[in-house]
Amino acid sequence: MSETKHKYKFKAEIKQLLDILVHSLYTSREIFLRELISNASDALDKVRFESTKGTEIADKDLPLEIHIDFDEKKNLLTVSDTGIGMTKDELVKNIGTIAKSGTAEFLKKLAESKEDATNIIGKFGVGFYSVFMVAKEVVIKTKSFKPDEPACLWRSDGSGSFEIEVLDKKIKRGTSIEVHLKDDAKEFAEKYRLESIIKKHSNFISFPIFLGKERINTIAAIWREPKTSIKKEQYVEFYKFLTYDTEEPMFIIHKSVDAPIQFNALMFIPKKSDEFFWMDRENYGLDLYVKRVLIQHKNKDLLPEYLSFVKGVVDSEDLPLNISRETLQENTIFHKISSSVTNHVLSFLLDKAKNNPEEYTAFWKEHAKVFRLGYMDFTNLEKYQELLRFNSSFNKDENELTSLADYVSRMKEGQKEIYYVLGSSRAAIETDPHLEIFKKKGVEVLYLYDPTEELVLSSIRKYKDYDFKSVDTADLKKLEELGDKTEEKEKTEELSKDDRKHFSSLLSKMKKILGDRVKDVVESKRLSDSPACLVNTDDTISASMRKLLKLANQDAGKQEQILEINPDHKLVRNLIEIFKKNPDDDYIVNVTEQLYGSALLLEGMLEDPHLLVAKMNELLEKSSDWYLKQKDTSQ
Ligand code: ADP
Ligand code: MG
């Protein structure tokens, strides 16, 4: 080997990726061409960007084009561009040695679902390698836009290594990729096959694509055309081109704004959340154009992160063409555009919520997880709040949703707070003793199933004049004032004066049994069906949240709790009788421990179930004795 020639090994992850691509993917192999054309288009965008900045560029007057040539006899396909090219270092770095952040994740996904792989290849920045699905050898010749850099050649059969050679020969700026097709991939050297693939996947590429001598794609900045002249299919085609999604978008948002600042925005909300791509934080944002020239792919500042499910492009006449990505941030026009774009998206959603609640519900179910993170957007807080949805006790099942406005419209007279409870499911929430008084009073409670929902409520703190309040910290006096929903069914007989005294002493006894574990043991006014429950004294954070923090190994501090006892419950009435006979009966100790343990369990705060279960078994044993005796006497 001459000293200008070097052999390199593919990075392990890339080798693994190549193995999968080559050996197990046979469907939609055609997308390799989409990936090569998209790289060519990126390279052309980059060189145009450099030239608008005034950088010195090799072969300055070359037209910005993509050429696709084919030779059926030689089984050869060549994709060339007059783009930015690569230096030797860039070639080593970009193709073969550095695996992008998402590669490992992509490999996992790829192993799980071979079908979808071709749709996600492009999203992970590993598109180039898809060429090895059809190639037995690939040769890249490239010349950087930097005038002094020599041209280079890259060659590989995709098995384990590649080699790079510095060329003596002068070639023009840009990159050409020779694809030596496998025997079973001859179709990709046929004109009609190529033409249909380009039309299908690359029609919206904004540089001319030539197949042989013929220009194939029709360039149209569809976002700049009047809405009325665009058919739904064109929108859908553009959306699929932009996102690689195979489905139609859920919503299309097309806006042309002339004053005070001119811009066009064409945005889409996908049917499916690609939350999976979330770990790849690079993979969101709108494409920013200035006068039809792409300035930045996936700009992250046009929309706030909580709207990152929105895909699309924004194009403005009012920004300077030579603006750099770095100075965008400080540009006031850019800021105005971005706040206007954000506003349009939120208004669009508000309009959907109002006029087409079913479609809005579908949107919410898919994208709420990301959208909820918008609680920090103080400028748009009002709109954000109106867009929030929750499940609530008013809803028939967990699929129905309630807005905060709906909740408020159903509030009881005099109600000043919006109540919520966090739980793992609707069924679990509905057995929560804290809800008994709410049911009795007919006061609606928001049911939260995701800790971020509580995070949202505790961050925004109030809706209109109403504070959010967790049911386990709700102030009973305020609830008492609201009046009962229905006449009470059969009221349990009032405790006699004498029994009241005993009940009082029983509560003190229970406090003594539980010691420092509870702050106090008191009579409950909130319970109707359960004998006991724990109430939190600190209302900054709910018990469920505390539990979650604990699971995440974050200590939220020790919570002071009060054990409430329902004097009307049959069990408690019996306890009073037992207490009257012998205040020191062991049975009372047992039951007290048991009630406390069960209440902790319901809060999800029980640290060790062993004691609870042991005591429960003891009680079961006693009750079985009693049961047997009863049976014997009745027979
Ligand atoms: P992505 O396009 O998402 O970055 P690819 O695997 O498709 O991932 O390409 C890897 C890198 O190789 C590109 O980021 C780019 O730096 C370089 N590259 C590929 N094709 C070209 C080309 N035609 N011209 C210049 N650079 C290219
Ligand atoms: Mg690519």
Side-chain angles (χ1 to χ4, degrees):
M1 230 181 248
S2 74
E3 41 175 322
T4 52
K5 215 167 179 177
H6 282 281
K7 206 166 176 149
Y8 303 82
K9 282 204 168 67
F10 282 118
K11 169 103 197 248
E13 273 130 339
I14 295 175
K15 195 167 159 356
Q16 215 180 330
L17 172 73
L18 284 167
D19 278 347
I20 300 180
L21 288 174
V22 173
H23 298 296
S24 49
L25 283 173
Y26 299 102
T27 53
S28 32
R29 291 195 296 177
E30 63 183 42
I31 59 98
F32 84 90
L33 189 56
R34 174 188 74 193
E35 296 303 325
L36 295 186
I37 292 175
S38 125
N39 285 349
S41 168
D42 289 349
L44 289 163
D45 274 324
K46 285 177 193 158
V47 83
R48 181 163 60 185
F49 186 68
E50 289 300 332
S51 118
T52 54
K53 280 203 308 197
T55 317
E56 195 193 340
I57 284 167
D59 303 308
K60 201 168 179 313
D61 300 321
L62 270 186
L64 301 180
E65 290 171 354
I66 299 169
H67 285 264
I68 295 174
D69 295 293
F70 51 94
D71 186 331
E72 268 186 87
K73 288 200 201 85
K74 289 190 190 152
N75 262 342
L76 176 65
L77 169 73
T78 310
V79 178
S80 15
D81 63 68
T82 50
I84 197 157
M86 283 177 273
T87 64
K88 184 179 174 218
D89 288 349
E90 285 164 348
L91 204 47
V92 175
K93 200 175 75 185
N94 296 342
I95 303 187
T97 40
I98 294 191
K100 302 225 174 111
S101 59
T103 313
E105 241 60 61
F106 173 73
L107 282 168
K108 229 171 80 197
K109 191 80 181 168
L110 201 57
E112 284 163 15
S113 63
K114 289 178 181 162
E115 285 304 319
D116 292 336
T118 49
N119 298 321
I120 54 183
I121 281 173
K123 291 194 187 181
F124 272 94
V126 291
F128 171 77
Y129 304 103
S130 63
V131 70
F132 286 103
M133 294 192 291
V134 300
K136 57 183 181 216
E137 188 184 46
V138 176
V139 177
I140 304 175
K141 288 181 190 142
T142 182
K143 162 75 184 87
S144 164
F145 75 105
K146 295 174 184 158
D148 299 334
E149 290 285 343
C152 291
L153 181 145
W154 180 103
R155 183 200 307 274
S156 176
D157 63 1
S159 57
S161 62
F162 58 93
E163 60 180 49
I164 293 181
E165 190 180 333
V166 175
L167 299 174
D168 304 327
K169 215 172 57 179
K170 282 227 172 327
I171 58 172
K172 289 241 151 78
R173 184 195 76 224
T175 303
S176 80
I177 299 181
E178 282 173 21
V179 183
H180 297 269
L181 295 163
K182 291 181 186 173
D183 289 342
D184 68 358
K186 286 187 176 148
E187 57 185 298
F188 300 112
E190 288 163 20
K191 179 163 190 272
Y192 294 104
R193 181 79 171 101
L194 289 169
E195 185 173 343
S196 87
I197 301 173
I198 298 166
K199 285 229 161 99
K200 182 167 164 202
H201 295 293
S202 309
N203 207 23
F204 289 98
I205 291 286
S206 53
F207 298 96
I209 302 175
F210 290 90
L211 182 61
K213 297 224 155 11
E214 206 181 315
R215 167 123 177 229
I216 297 287
N217 61 329
T218 45
I219 318 166
I222 167 177
W223 55 88
R224 288 193 158 230
E225 321 229 326
K227 261 168 132 169
T228 45
S229 73
I230 308 172
K231 291 202 220 55
K232 167 103 188 280
E233 301 85 78
Q234 287 173 285
Y235 280 130
V236 171
E237 198 192 340
F238 179 67
Y239 167 76
K240 289 182 175 174
F241 161 78
L242 194 73
T243 61
Y244 297 150
D245 199 344
T246 47
E247 280 190 88
E248 290 189 4
M250 179 184 277
F251 300 139
I252 300 168
I253 311 171
H254 190 179
K255 282 275 166 216
S256 293
V257 177
D258 286 318
I261 289 167
Q262 191 285 335
F263 72 88
N264 294 291
L266 177 54
M267 295 174 283
F268 303 91
I269 297 181
K271 274 207 179 110
K272 289 256 152 12
S273 156
D274 53 1
E275 226 192 305
F276 162 63
F277 295 105
W278 255 63
M279 43 193 115
D280 182 11
R281 293 315 292 128
E282 283 309 292
N283 201 26
Y284 73 95
L286 301 178
D287 292 346
L288 175 67
Y289 288 76
V290 173
K291 306 183 177 83
R292 289 172 199 245
V293 174
L294 182 67
I295 299 298
Q296 194 180 15
H297 249 311
K298 301 188 192 251
N299 174 287
K300 310 278 183 286
D301 302 305
L302 279 164
L303 282 178
E305 201 167 335
Y306 72 97
L307 297 177
S308 62
F309 47 80
V310 179
K311 317 282 176 195
V313 307
V314 171
D315 189 349
S316 174
E317 289 282 322
D318 292 344
L319 286 167
L321 249 180
N322 63 354
I323 193 162
S324 79
R325 287 159 213 189
E326 294 72 37
T327 53
L328 264 182
Q329 291 267 37
E330 290 121 45
N331 186 298
T332 43
I333 297 178
F334 177 78
H335 275 279
K336 287 189 181 142
I337 293 174
S338 99
S339 67
S340 173
V341 169
T342 305
N343 217 346
H344 280 301
V345 172
L346 294 174
S347 304
F348 174 90
L349 290 173
L350 278 174
D351 184 67
K352 269 283 171 235
K354 193 165 152 227
N355 299 313
N356 201 331
E358 262 148 60
E359 285 187 18
Y360 187 74
T361 301
F363 158 79
W364 186 257
K365 300 222 154 126
E366 200 56 37
H367 298 291
K369 261 208 165 123
V370 176
F371 180 83
R372 272 191 208 113
L373 305 175
Y375 59 86
M376 303 279 272
D377 184 1
F378 303 114
T379 25
N380 294 299
L381 190 60
E382 212 170 297
K383 287 197 170 99
Y384 170 81
Q385 288 186 340
E386 295 303 340
L387 287 167
L388 286 174
R389 292 292 179 275
F390 299 91
N391 189 226
S392 97
S393 57
F394 177 83
N395 296 132
K396 274 200 300 294
D397 56 43
E398 69 271 17
N399 291 315
E400 278 187 22
L401 295 174
T402 292
S403 69
L404 294 173
D406 289 341
Y407 181 103
V408 166
S409 73
R410 294 190 287 256
M411 275 181 18
K412 306 268 293 185
E413 225 184 290
Q415 190 181 335
K416 298 251 165 16
E417 289 168 331
I418 296 176
Y419 298 102
Y420 67 88
V421 57
L422 176 65
S424 57
S425 69
R426 192 168 168 106
I429 284 175
E430 287 187 331
T431 58
D432 187 333
H434 295 109
L435 285 182
E436 286 171 16
I437 181 143
F438 291 89
K439 285 183 201 148
K440 191 167 132 199
K441 298 277 173 189
V443 174
E444 184 171 355
V445 176
L446 300 176
Y447 290 175
L448 320 185
Y449 307 117
D450 186 326
T452 52
E453 290 182 279
E454 180 167 338
L455 200 68
V456 168
L457 296 187
S458 48
S459 306
I460 61 179
R461 301 220 324 271
K462 51 160 77 184
Y463 170 70
K464 306 220 155 114
D465 288 332
Y466 311 107
D467 288 328
F468 296 112
K469 197 106 193 138
S470 169
V471 294
D472 59 349
T473 57
D475 183 352
L476 261 188
K477 269 185 242 119
K478 289 188 187 157
L479 284 170
E480 284 291 314
E481 287 159 13
L482 296 178
D484 288 358
K485 180 172 88 175
T486 43
E487 285 306 304
E488 232 156 289
K489 309 157 251 165
E490 340 120 32
K491 219 172 174 336
T492 337
E493 216 180 301
E494 288 272 315
L495 281 176
S496 68
K497 244 197 177 152
D498 191 42
D499 282 352
R500 276 228 144 259
K501 264 196 225 137
H502 287 295
F503 177 56
S504 221
S505 324
L506 174 64
L507 293 179
S508 317
K509 168 87 189 170
M510 289 173 132
K511 166 71 180 113
K512 216 180 270 160
I513 294 168
L514 294 174
D516 285 345
R517 287 177 285 169
V518 291
K519 195 173 170 210
D520 207 353
V521 180
V522 301
E523 174 177 352
S524 181
K525 296 248 169 17
R526 75 181 80 220
L527 295 173
S528 46
D529 301 328
S530 304
C533 76
L534 279 166
V535 180
N536 295 314
T537 50
D538 166 12
D539 71 349
T540 53
I541 185 165
S542 80
S544 330
M545 191 56 119
R546 214 167 268 277
K547 176 184 151 202
L548 285 160
L549 286 173
K550 205 165 152 194
L551 284 177
N553 274 325
Q554 287 185 19
D555 194 4
K558 204 172 143 38
Q559 169 72 301
E560 295 234 287
Q561 291 179 310
I562 292 173
L563 184 67
E564 289 194 0
I565 303 290
N566 176 5
D568 295 336
H569 195 278
K570 187 81 193 300
L571 170 62
V572 179
R573 291 282 164 109
N574 285 342
L575 271 188
I576 295 173
E577 291 309 312
I578 296 167
F579 184 79
K580 281 202 281 201
K581 291 200 175 97
N582 174 12
D584 296 320
D585 197 318
D586 253 0
Y587 190 81
I588 294 174
V589 178
N590 249 350
V591 170
T592 304
E593 288 289 353
Q594 195 65 27
L595 285 176
Y596 176 65
S598 307
L600 275 179
L601 187 64
L602 280 181
E603 301 278 300
M605 307 278 271
L606 187 70
E607 297 206 352
D608 182 5
H610 291 93
L611 190 69
L612 182 77
V613 172
K615 294 265 179 210
M616 181 160 66
N617 289 340
E618 212 176 305
L619 285 171
L620 282 173
E621 190 186 313
K622 282 194 180 129
S623 71
S624 64
D625 275 346
W626 161 83
Y627 187 72
L628 256 185
K629 261 181 231 146
Q630 258 218 337
K631 274 223 143 153
D632 286 346
T633 49
S634 65
Q635 267 164 13

